[in-house]
Amino acid sequence: MAKRNLYLDTKPVEEAAELYLNALRPVVTIQYETIPVTESLNRVTRHATYAKYSSPLFNASAMDGIAVISERTVAATEVAPVTLKEKEDYIVVDTGDPIHPPYDAVIMAEDLVETKDGVQITASAAPWQHVRPIGEDIVAGEMILPSRHKIRPIDVGVLLSAGITRIEVVKRPRAAIFPTGTEIIEPEDTPREGSIIESNSRMFENMVIEAGGEARRFPPIIDDYEQIRDHIAKAACEYDMVIVNAGSSAGTEDYTVHVLRELGEVIVHGVAIKPGKPVILAVVEGKPVIGLPGYPVSAYIGFENFVLPVLAMMGQTALKKNEVVTASVSKRLVSSLRHKEYVRVKVGKVGDKMVAAPLARGAGAAMSLVRADGFCVIEQNSEGVEAGEPVQVELYRDKAEVENTVVIIGSHDLILDVAADMMPNLHPGMFVSSTHVGSMGGLMALKRKEAHLAPIHLLDEETGEYNLSYIRRLFGSGKIALIKGVGRTQGILVKKGNPLGIKGIEDLPGCRYVNRQRGAGTRVLFDYKLKQLGIAPEQINGYEREAATHMAVAAAVGSDGADAGMGILSAAKAMDLDFIPVGPEEYDFAVPLEYLELPHIKAFIEILKMDEFHKRLDELGGYTYERAGERILNI
C-alpha cells in the first residue's frame, strides 16, 4: 500500500511561523547590490546615506525680480519711494540665479515700478529677503536616508539633489516557483476530464513581486519523486527561496515532504489553520523551501502567513499591516476548536456599524478571494461566533471604499453584476457589494440592519402578488420602500436539446433535480407549483440538493451534475442551456426609508433607470424593465 503523509501534530500558526524564522535566521544571508539611484524606487537601503553636496550649492534667488544691497533700500516708504539704478544699486535676477556680494536681498518683480532711470520701490528690503542660502535644504555631510529605509519617489529626487547617483540596497530575494501534479495543465492547453488548469503559481509569482522579490515560475512537474527532488535540489542552489505548490498533503502521490526530508530539514509539516493545514516549512542548502497546498484559498492563506514573513526578513522590509475594523457578522459561523480559521467576508457600512457577510468557506473557492473585502479570523480553541456578534476583520480594501459601498443581501440575479460593473465607472469611489442568501434571508438582513437593500421575488400564494405582502408582514407599514427592479421569467433549465423531453414541472419526478436554498424566491415559486400539481417534494430526486445562485444551478445542469433545475433565462443563455418557461415574476429591491437619501443608494437607483443598464439587460435576455427604479413608498 502506498505511503500517506499523516501529520497529526499540527502547530499553531504563530508558533509555526516563529519556529521557522528562528531556524532561518542563522543560515540565511542577506545580499546587497549597488544600483543607480534612478532605479532605486521601493528598494531598501543597506547603510545610512549622506549628502555629497549642499542644496542649494550657492546663495540663490528665491524669486523673479532684482537683487539689491539691502542698506540702500532702508529709506523707501509709500510716501517717499526710493529710485534704484541698474548695475549700481541692483541687478536683474530670476528664480535660482546666484546672489553674490555686495547684493544680499531680492525684491519681487511685482513690487517694482519701472522708471526711465531704473526702478522705484516703496518698501525697504530686509537682509537675505527672498534669498535661499547655501545648504538651506541639504547640507553636505548630513544624513539623507537611514539604513533599512524603503526608497520613495521623493527620496530619489533628494538623493540626486545631494549628488548621490548610486546607492547600495538590499538585493531582491529571488524565488523559484514549482507547480506540481500530473493532472495539472497550462491555461493555454485544452482541458479534459480530470484536468486542472494551473493558476496558483501565477498568483504566487505576482505576490512575490508585490512583496519586493523576483519570481521565476517553472513549468508544472508531474507527480514523480525523482523529478521533484532534482528540480528542488537545483533551485535551492540557484535561488534564494523555493516554493512548491501542491503535493504537501496526505495523498499517496504527495511526495514533497519526503523529498524535503531527503534534501534538508523539515521544520514544520502541518499547521492548525483552516483552510491550509498541509503546509511544509523546510530548509535546504541554507535556503527556505516552502510547500503550499493545492487548493487556491489554502495556497493564498499559506503564502500570506509563511512566505511573506520570510520575504520580509530576506528583503529587510516590514510586513504590510492591513487595517483592522470591528464588524457585526451577518450569520452564525461554526468553527473547529483545533484550527485558526480564516473566513472571507464582504464588508460594508450600514448605518453606524460595519457589517461582515461571510462568503464561501471552501478551500477551492478562489472567487471568494476575488470578492472578499477582508478576512474574519476565528481563533483556535473557539467554536465560532453567533450572528450579530462583533468580529475583527482585516481589510483588503481601503476603508473609504467600504464605507461607500451599497450593501446588497438577498436573492441572486446577474443584473447585480451589471450594476456592480457600472457603479464605479459612473460614480467613481462608489461600489456595489452583493451576497446571495435568498429573498427571505435578505429581508431578515434588512431587519437586523445588515444591508442597505434586499433583492426579493417572493410570491404570495393567496393573492398572486409579489413582494409587498412579505414586507408588510415583517416590517409593518411606513418603514420600507420597494424599488421596482425587473420583470423576468422563471423556468426549468435543461441540457441543450432537452434530451429528456421535459415540458414542465410535472415531468420532473424521476429526473435529477438541483434546487435553490430555503428562503429563495425561486424555491418558494417551485414549492407553490408543486403544491398546485399535487407533487410531493419527496418525489423530486434532488429536492434537498441546494444551490445558492441561478448560475450555480445552470453549472450543475450544464456539467451533467443534474438533469434540471429552476432558474432564469439569462442563466440558461450564459451556460448555453435550453429553457422551459414556467411563469413571469417581479424581482425588486426592498430598502429602509432611512437609506434612500444616501448618495450611493441614490446612485444605484439611478443606474436601474439608465438606458445603458437596460441595453445590458437586453444582451443577457429574459428581462423587462419598464418600471425599473420606480419607488413604491410607505408600504
Side-chain angles (χ1 to χ4, degrees):
M1 183 175 177
K3 184 179 179 181
R4 293 189 180 273
N5 306 314
L6 297 179
Y7 39 95
L8 302 178
D9 183 26
T10 57
K11 295 191 180 299
V13 176
E14 293 78 8
E15 180 184 336
E18 188 58 31
L19 193 67
Y20 192 43
L21 290 174
N22 286 339
L24 290 173
R25 287 187 183 103
V27 296
V28 170
T29 302
I30 308 301
Q31 300 180 58
Y32 303 92
E33 62 182 338
T34 299
I35 62 172
V37 164
T38 51
E39 300 172 9
S40 68
L41 181 65
N42 292 329
R43 302 299 293 274
V44 176
T45 59
R46 179 178 187 180
H47 302 298
T49 305
Y50 297 87
K52 183 177 180 180
Y53 304 125
S54 294
S55 178
L57 291 164
F58 46 81
N59 297 328
S61 175
M63 299 288 177
D64 296 335
I66 60 173
V68 299
I69 303 165
S70 59
E71 64 181 17
R72 296 186 184 178
T73 70
V74 172
T77 64
E78 289 190 7
V79 295
V82 170
T83 299
L84 302 177
K85 295 182 179 180
E86 188 173 3
K87 296 185 180 178
E88 180 178 328
D89 300 313
Y90 71 90
I91 57 171
V92 176
V93 292
D94 294 324
T95 301
D97 284 349
I99 303 296
H100 297 299
Y103 304 108
D104 64 351
V106 171
I107 300 174
M108 294 187 295
E110 49 266 44
D111 292 336
L112 304 173
V113 178
E114 293 190 14
T115 67
K116 65 177 182 177
D117 297 322
V119 296
Q120 195 176 75
I121 61 173
T122 58
S124 62
W128 299 101
Q129 170 182 292
H130 301 315
V131 175
R132 296 187 65 212
I134 293 172
E136 178 190 56
D137 185 19
I138 303 168
V139 177
E142 78 170 306
M143 187 175 75
I144 303 297
L145 299 177
S147 58
R148 290 193 64 170
H149 174 83
K150 189 174 182 180
I151 297 173
R152 305 163 298 174
I154 186 61
D155 300 328
V156 172
V158 170
L159 287 166
L160 296 174
S161 296
I164 309 299
T165 58
R166 296 182 68 79
I167 189 166
E168 191 173 14
V169 296
V170 178
K171 201 170 184 180
R172 289 191 178 107
R174 298 169 63 242
I177 302 169
F178 292 103
T180 69
T182 304
E183 73 281 14
I184 296 299
I185 64 171
E186 298 283 27
E188 59 269 19
D189 296 337
T190 301
R192 295 175 297 188
E193 185 175 12
S195 299
I196 298 175
I197 297 174
E198 204 290 310
S199 60
N200 284 346
S201 65
R202 296 302 186 184
M203 176 176 71
F204 297 154
E205 186 178 37
N206 286 284
M207 291 176 82
V208 168
I209 293 169
E210 191 175 54
E214 295 179 359
R216 168 78 187 278
R217 183 264 190 188
F218 288 85
I221 310 171
I222 64 170
D223 290 319
D224 179 86
Y225 187 95
E226 285 74 22
Q227 286 195 42
I228 295 171
R229 180 194 61 202
D230 294 347
H231 279 85
I232 292 175
K234 187 171 187 290
C237 294
E238 297 177 357
Y239 290 83
D240 303 312
M241 168 189 281
V242 181
I243 300 169
V244 184
N245 188 217
S248 63
S249 191
T252 56
E253 293 186 341
D254 288 337
Y255 298 123
T256 305
V257 72
H258 303 303
V259 166
L260 295 179
R261 285 185 178 130
E262 177 186 338
L263 296 176
E265 180 184 5
V266 173
I267 309 299
V268 173
H269 183 206
V271 292
I273 190 172
K274 185 179 179 181
K277 181 173 68 171
V279 168
I280 306 170
L281 308 176
V283 181
V284 176
E285 300 292 337
K287 308 287 181 62
V289 180
I290 299 177
L292 295 174
Y295 281 124
V297 180
S298 300
Y300 180 88
I301 291 172
F303 193 104
E304 287 240 313
N305 278 280
F306 302 107
V307 179
L308 287 184
V310 175
L311 286 171
M313 181 190 75
M314 299 174 77
Q316 299 288 280
T317 58
L319 276 172
K320 180 185 175 184
K321 298 288 187 182
N322 294 315
E323 186 171 4
V324 176
V325 298
T326 300
S328 173
V329 68
S330 65
K331 71 177 182 180
R332 187 184 186 209
L333 293 174
V334 178
S335 185
S336 166
L337 292 169
R338 297 174 57 192
H339 303 104
K340 179 177 183 177
E341 184 169 5
Y342 287 72
V343 180
R344 286 81 74 196
V345 293
K346 294 292 290 181
V347 185
K349 188 173 185 181
V350 181
D352 59 357
K353 70 177 181 180
M354 289 285 190
V355 176
L359 297 169
R361 295 169 76 176
M367 268 305 296
S368 67
L369 288 174
V370 174
R371 298 184 63 216
D373 298 321
F375 280 101
C376 158
V377 177
I378 302 176
E379 294 295 342
Q380 194 174 359
N381 299 318
S382 169
E383 293 182 340
V385 292
E386 296 295 330
E389 284 189 8
V391 294
Q392 297 299 297
V393 175
E394 181 183 348
L395 290 180
Y396 282 16
R397 284 176 64 204
D398 186 88
K399 187 178 178 182
E401 290 185 9
V402 170
E403 292 179 343
N404 281 291
T405 294
V406 181
V407 179
I408 299 177
I409 298 179
S411 174
H412 169 257
D413 194 286
L414 298 178
I415 72 169
L416 299 177
D417 295 334
V418 175
D421 178 50
M422 291 178 63
M423 179 71 95
N425 288 299
L426 297 171
H427 304 277
M430 294 184 182
F431 305 90
V432 171
S433 162
S434 60
T435 306
H436 316 307
V437 299
S439 297
M440 287 302 299
L443 290 177
M444 297 311 296
L446 284 191
K447 202 168 184 65
R448 296 191 300 266
K449 296 187 179 297
E450 293 171 353
H452 294 121
L453 295 97
I456 57 175
H457 58 113
L458 292 165
L459 173 67
D460 187 321
E461 295 182 11
E462 294 181 2
T463 66
E465 179 183 58
Y466 267 92
N467 302 324
L468 297 177
S469 62
Y470 287 87
I471 294 175
R472 291 190 190 102
R473 285 201 296 268
L474 280 173
F475 297 92
S477 61
K479 295 179 180 178
I480 301 291
L482 190 72
I483 306 299
K484 295 301 295 180
V486 295
R488 62 185 193 180
T489 302
Q490 283 275 8
I492 305 170
L493 282 60
V494 297
K495 292 176 177 58
K496 198 71 175 175
N498 192 7
L500 298 182
I502 296 170
K503 297 182 176 62
I505 290 175
E506 63 274 11
D507 297 325
L508 292 179
C511 299
R512 296 174 302 153
Y513 186 76
V514 56
N515 208 351
R516 290 294 305 279
Q517 76 272 36
R518 289 173 177 80
T522 301
R523 173 86 163 243
V524 172
L525 176 62
F526 184 58
D527 289 344
Y528 173 64
K529 293 292 184 180
L530 289 179
K531 186 184 296 184
Q532 279 187 323
L533 293 166
I535 300 173
E538 294 77 21
Q539 294 177 254
I540 304 296
N541 176 15
Y543 182 85
E544 298 299 330
R545 179 186 176 187
E546 298 182 349
T549 67
H550 294 287
M551 288 303 294
V553 170
V557 175
S559 65
D560 202 32
D563 298 319
M566 281 275 285
I568 55 176
L569 177 59
S570 57
K573 287 186 64 177
M575 292 296 293
D576 195 28
L577 302 173
D578 278 1
F579 182 79
I580 302 158
V582 169
E585 66 172 7
E586 298 173 35
Y587 181 86
D588 301 323
F589 297 90
V591 53
L593 298 181
E594 63 197 275
Y595 301 147
L596 282 175
E597 294 305 313
L598 293 175
H600 43 301
I601 305 302
K602 292 171 74 173
F604 178 82
I605 294 170
E606 285 304 310
I607 286 175
L608 298 179
K609 302 175 182 178
M610 294 182 65
D611 290 341
E612 181 185 346
F613 180 69
H614 301 161
K615 181 180 177 182
R616 299 271 295 267
L617 299 192
D618 289 339
E619 292 170 358
L620 290 173
Y623 296 100
T624 59
Y625 40 75
E626 290 77 11
R627 300 179 66 189
E630 177 185 329
R631 297 185 189 183
I632 301 176
L633 295 174
N634 300 322
I635 294 170

